[in-house]
Amino acid sequence: MDLLQPIIKPYAWGSREALARLQGRVSPSPGPEAELWMGAHPAGPSVLVRDGRTRTLTDVVSEAPERELGAECVARFGSRLPFLLKVLAAEQPLSIQVHPDRRQAEAACKSQAGEGAPDGPCADDWPKPELLCALSPFEVLAGFRTREEAAAVLDGLGLADLAPVTALLTAGTDDSALTRALRTLLEWPADRQGAFVAAVVDACVVKADEPGAYADAYGAVVRMAEHHPGDLGLVASLLMRHQVVDMGQALYMPAGGLHAYVRGFGVEVMAASDNVLRAGLTSKAVNVPELLRIVDPTVRVPVVKPRTVDGNPRTEVFGCPAEEFALFRTAVTAEAVPLLPPVGPRVALCAAGEALLRGSGGEVLGLRAGASCFLPDSDRGITVEGAGILFVAGTGFQAHL
C-alpha cells in the first residue's frame, strides 16, 4: 500500500477553495485548482515513496506490471494503469466535448501514423469514457435533448434566426436531425456569429426570469456567457439536456456522448486517455468537423445510482459498462469490512473523515480526508475501518469479483 502525492491541475475554471478544504490546506489557495489527479497518467503521474525511494507511479507500474496490475489486467490493457482517479472542482464551465470509442481512436491513430501527422485529432488509441460522482450538486449538460424538446427550447426564445434550426429538428424523423442542427449552429457564418450569439444570450436573459420549463437552461446560458462571451457553444448548449446531478449520484459519459460540466465538486474516474474533441466554451483548440463525425445523438448520458455490493452493505458500486474502470464507495465505520474491489490495481481516496487500511500481512495505512493511496494487485485481503467515506477505483472487468 503506497501513499500517493497527487497532482493538482491549476486550470482557469477551477476553484480556489474546494480542493484546499478537502486536503485541509489554507483556503483560498493562491490560484485556481481544478483537478486532483491520482494515478499514472503521463501528463501528471502521482508520486510515492517505496523502499525509501521516491518514484512516480508510472515508473513503479512499468518496472513490474504483473505484480502491480495483475496478469489479467496486463493481458487486457498492457503495462499501463488503465484508469485515472480525479477530484474535480469546477467554478466555471468546461468545454462542450465528446470522446471517441476504442475502434474510432485506434483507426484515427493508425490514419495519423500513415499520414505522418502525430498531432491529429486523436491523442492516443484509447477510448475515454468517464464516470462523475457528485460530492456537491453538480450542474451539467449531458447528451442531447429529444428533437421535440430541443425545438421547443429554441422556439421559446422567439428569434427568427433560430427558425431554420427548429425546422431541421421538427422535419427530422430520427436523431440524426440533432446532429444536423448542431452542425448548423457550430458552422454559423463567421461574419454573423457575434450578433447571433449576442441576440441569443439577450433572449435568454429575458426568458431566465420568466416561469417556464426551460428557465434553468436559459439561465445557464446567461451564466456561461460571462466566461465565454460570443462563443457559439452557448447556443449549441440549448440542444443539450441541462440537469443537476444530486450528491451521491453519478453521471456516466459513454463514447459519442456530447457533454459539458458547468459547475460543481465531484470524484471522477476515467480511462487513461487524452482523447477529447471540443466544440466550444473553451480557450483550447476546437475541432468541430471531427466532433461532428464522432458525436452520437442517440447517446443519452445516464445518471447512475449506486447499488449495494452483495455481502457488504456499506459498500456501493456505480455500475457502468466501461471495462477500464469501476468506482466503489464505502461508508467506513469502526467495524472492519473487506476493501472492494479485492483484486487488480486500485486507487483509494478518503473523501471525508478517516479510513484505516489493513493489509493481509499486518501492514497499516491511515488516510485522512483528501489523502489517497495505490493498492497493487499483489496486495489482497485488505480491510478498511474508521469513520468516513472512501472511494476506490478499480478495473471494470474485475468489478464483479
Side-chain angles (χ1 to χ4, degrees):
M1 297 186 288
D2 299 291
L3 189 67
L4 293 178
Q5 299 175 32
I7 302 299
I8 293 176
K9 294 292 184 175
Y11 305 138
W13 49 262
S15 166
R16 295 183 61 195
E17 296 182 353
L19 292 180
R21 286 198 304 264
L22 174 67
Q23 295 187 304
R25 293 184 281 110
V26 174
S27 174
S29 58
E33 298 177 336
E35 298 182 348
L36 190 69
W37 285 24
M38 294 154 284
H41 194 287
S46 299
V47 173
L48 56 84
V49 177
R50 185 182 288 188
D51 299 327
R53 296 174 58 200
T54 300
R55 320 276 300 287
T56 68
L57 182 55
T58 305
D59 289 340
V60 168
V61 169
S62 64
E63 288 184 5
E66 290 204 359
R67 181 186 67 198
E68 306 300 331
L69 307 179
E72 289 182 279
C73 185
V74 172
R76 188 170 296 234
F77 300 117
S79 58
R80 63 187 290 184
L81 184 66
F83 58 83
L84 173 65
L85 186 64
K86 297 181 179 181
V87 180
L88 265 63
E91 281 199 353
Q92 299 178 20
L94 283 67
S95 60
I96 295 177
Q97 59 186 257
V98 72
H99 310 300
D101 61 23
R102 185 173 292 276
R103 178 188 59 79
Q104 292 165 333
E106 289 175 346
C109 279
K110 184 177 181 180
S111 175
Q112 289 168 202
E115 297 171 359
D119 296 326
C122 279
D124 52 64
D125 61 358
W126 271 46
K128 191 175 177 284
E130 303 169 343
L131 182 84
L132 172 73
C133 177
L135 295 177
S136 73
F138 212 119
E139 184 180 8
V140 299
L141 299 167
F144 281 99
R145 299 179 184 273
T146 64
R147 288 182 291 111
E148 297 78 9
E149 189 177 42
V153 172
L154 297 182
D155 263 347
L157 295 178
L159 296 176
D161 273 346
L162 290 173
V165 186
T166 303
L168 284 173
L169 295 167
T170 55
T173 58
D174 58 38
D175 285 339
S176 64
L178 290 161
T179 305
R180 291 194 293 274
L182 180 65
R183 180 185 300 276
T184 300
L185 294 176
L186 294 178
E187 295 180 348
W188 206 263
D191 61 340
R192 295 164 46 204
Q193 285 182 13
F196 174 56
V197 175
V200 170
V201 173
D202 287 346
C204 286
V205 170
V206 174
K207 291 295 181 179
D209 290 333
E210 296 179 357
Y214 307 121
D216 287 346
Y218 297 139
V221 170
V222 175
R223 286 185 282 104
M224 291 188 294
E226 297 176 4
H227 306 289
H228 300 284
D231 195 310
L232 286 172
L234 298 168
V235 189
S237 74
L238 293 170
L239 299 177
M240 302 168 67
R241 290 171 56 231
H242 173 267
Q243 61 184 310
V244 176
V245 182
D246 293 334
M247 290 177 59
Q249 294 189 348
L251 198 70
Y252 175 58
M253 308 290 185
L258 194 66
H259 63 278
Y261 299 142
V262 180
R263 59 180 177 180
F265 186 49
V267 172
E268 182 185 56
V269 61
M270 50 171 265
S273 168
D274 279 327
N275 279 327
V276 182
L277 298 165
R278 299 177 179 88
L281 304 184
T282 181
S283 59
K284 296 182 178 180
V286 299
N287 191 333
V288 170
E290 191 67 10
L291 179 139
L292 290 170
R293 187 181 73 84
I294 294 296
V295 70
D296 183 351
T298 66
V299 172
R300 292 293 182 242
V301 189
V303 171
V304 179
K305 295 182 179 180
R307 61 173 177 82
T308 302
V309 176
D310 293 342
N312 189 339
R314 294 206 302 276
T315 298
E316 301 172 311
V317 61
F318 295 89
C320 69
E323 64 175 0
E324 295 85 3
F325 62 77
L327 185 65
F328 292 74
R329 180 179 61 197
T330 296
V332 182
T333 69
E335 180 185 357
V337 296
L339 182 134
L340 296 177
V343 300
R346 292 144 292 168
V347 174
L349 165 71
C350 184
E354 58 184 9
L356 191 67
L357 281 64
R358 296 184 184 274
S360 58
E363 62 275 24
V364 176
L365 179 63
L367 299 179
R368 294 188 296 178
S372 57
C373 66
F374 173 68
L375 309 170
D377 175 74
S378 58
D379 202 344
R380 303 187 178 190
I382 299 171
T383 62
V384 58
E385 60 193 86
I389 300 295
L390 186 74
F391 284 91
V392 182
T395 56
F397 77 96
Q398 295 173 309
H400 64 285
L401 297 175

